[in-house]
Amino acid sequence: MKRTLISALVAGCVGLASFAAAAGTVVVNGSTTVLPAMQKISETFMAKHKDIQVSLSGGGSGHGIKSLMDKTTDVAMASRDMKPAEVENVKKNGGEAVRFTVAVDAIVPIVHPNNKVKDLSMQQIRDIYAGRITNWKDVGGADARITVVSRDSSSGTFETWEELVMKGERVQQRALLQASNGAVLQTVAKNPNAIGYVGLGYITKDIKGLTISGKAASAETALSREWPLARDLYLFTNGQPKGDTKTLIDYALSPEGQVSVKEVGFVPVPAKK
């Protein structure tokens, strides 16, 4: 993804959040990982459906799912599945959580381009984030203290990282917590000793994606699940979507909508046979 798109997303989020869908408006809220895909999908969707507006904002997967439970958004974007307690909460309020897979993603550990480290094992990454490895020289890099950058706890990407990388261990307290993929990217791009992680669609020339035990993140390795940090990206609705919301969901999952997914660097969902 180009930096211009990231800048546009940041700017576009300001003032776009809404707490009620007006007639002809679909409110979409949640994951900053899913946001680039939905931004592109929404642009092409509104060009085709000029009578429907999409009000789009980020805030994290947890925020989007809470908004869905509170019935203040029509669609929640999430980079993780809903938790059983969240699904039950929706039911208690008379609703039903309905899930749609809109894309496949790969979480990629990233470092500054000047960092000579190119590859880490999952154990080395876990040890860095747990605080057991604190100097780059211990993994083949320069003699410099590692600055650990992580997402905050409202992020679905953070929860996926904890599940797939940390395996029940906690990210060290010294980690710099960031509210979005874009913030992680910018922090790592400015610090030669930093390590962070972002979705595949956020990889730019300003940072360097690491391989894991010799395996590189790509659309192919994410789809085949050869990449150990591959995951699905979701859209959730409260009940089966209807009206304008259904029109948007159907478009996002259509071949035309999936072209937008690919254009921003994510992996399109295979068509159902």
Side-chain angles (χ1 to χ4, degrees), residues 68-69 71 73-74 90 93-98 236-241:
L68 190 74
M69 293 189 292
K71 298 182 180 181
T73 191
D74 299 304
V90 174
N93 290 328
E96 176 192 10
V98 181
F236 287 95
T237 58
N238 193 336
Q240 291 295 335

Side-chain angles (χ1 to χ4, degrees), residues 17-250:
S18 174
F19 294 103
T25 298
V26 181
V27 179
V28 182
N29 180 274
S31 168
T32 65
T33 299
V34 186
L35 187 60
M38 283 307 295
Q39 173 80 6
K40 187 66 175 179
I41 288 170
S42 297
E43 289 173 357
T44 56
F45 173 81
M46 288 188 289
K48 186 173 183 178
H49 300 273
K50 298 185 184 300
D51 58 330
I52 305 174
Q53 294 295 311
V54 179
S55 177
L56 183 65
S57 61
S61 298
H63 186 272
I65 290 170
K66 184 179 185 303
S67 297
L68 190 74
M69 293 189 292
D70 294 342
K71 298 182 180 181
T72 56
T73 191
D74 299 304
V75 181
M77 303 178 288
S79 57
R80 63 166 174 84
D81 206 349
M82 287 183 69
K83 301 172 184 177
E86 293 168 336
V87 174
E88 187 61 29
N89 191 303
V90 174
K91 287 183 180 180
K92 286 181 179 178
N93 290 328
E96 176 192 10
V98 181
R99 184 185 70 189
F100 303 90
T101 301
V102 71
V104 177
D105 185 30
I107 303 176
V108 186
I110 60 171
V111 296
H112 191 276
N114 293 342
N115 192 325
K116 66 180 182 180
V117 173
K118 297 180 180 179
D119 181 85
L120 292 172
S121 68
M122 287 287 284
Q123 185 62 57
Q124 287 173 321
I125 296 171
R126 186 179 307 119
D127 287 345
I128 289 172
Y129 271 81
R132 288 185 292 273
I133 295 177
T134 59
N135 194 299
W136 282 112
K137 69 179 181 179
D138 295 328
V139 289
D143 184 3
R145 186 175 184 85
I146 300 173
T147 300
V148 173
V149 183
S150 181
R151 293 293 305 279
D152 61 32
S153 59
S154 68
S155 161
T157 302
F158 173 84
E159 296 193 28
T160 302
W161 185 264
E162 283 207 318
E163 175 187 352
L164 298 180
V165 177
M166 302 308 295
K167 302 294 186 181
E169 292 192 72
R170 298 184 67 84
V171 172
Q172 61 171 287
Q173 292 184 344
R174 293 174 61 93
L176 303 178
L177 303 184
Q178 305 296 324
S180 68
N181 281 271
V184 172
L185 187 156
Q186 291 173 18
T187 301
V188 174
K190 293 176 181 178
N191 188 335
N193 299 318
I195 184 171
Y197 54 88
V198 295
L200 182 62
Y202 280 83
I203 298 296
T204 74
K205 62 180 178 59
D206 299 304
I207 48 85
K208 179 173 69 177
L210 298 178
T211 57
I212 298 179
S213 297
K215 182 69 68 176
S218 68
E220 292 73 25
T221 58
L223 198 57
S224 68
R225 307 294 167 158
E226 294 176 77
W227 181 250
L229 302 180
R231 44 92 180 261
D232 291 337
L233 301 179
Y234 303 111
L235 301 177
F236 287 95
T237 58
N238 193 336
Q240 291 295 335
K242 299 177 181 179
D244 293 340
T245 300
K246 183 179 188 302
T247 303
L248 175 61
I249 294 288
D250 288 347

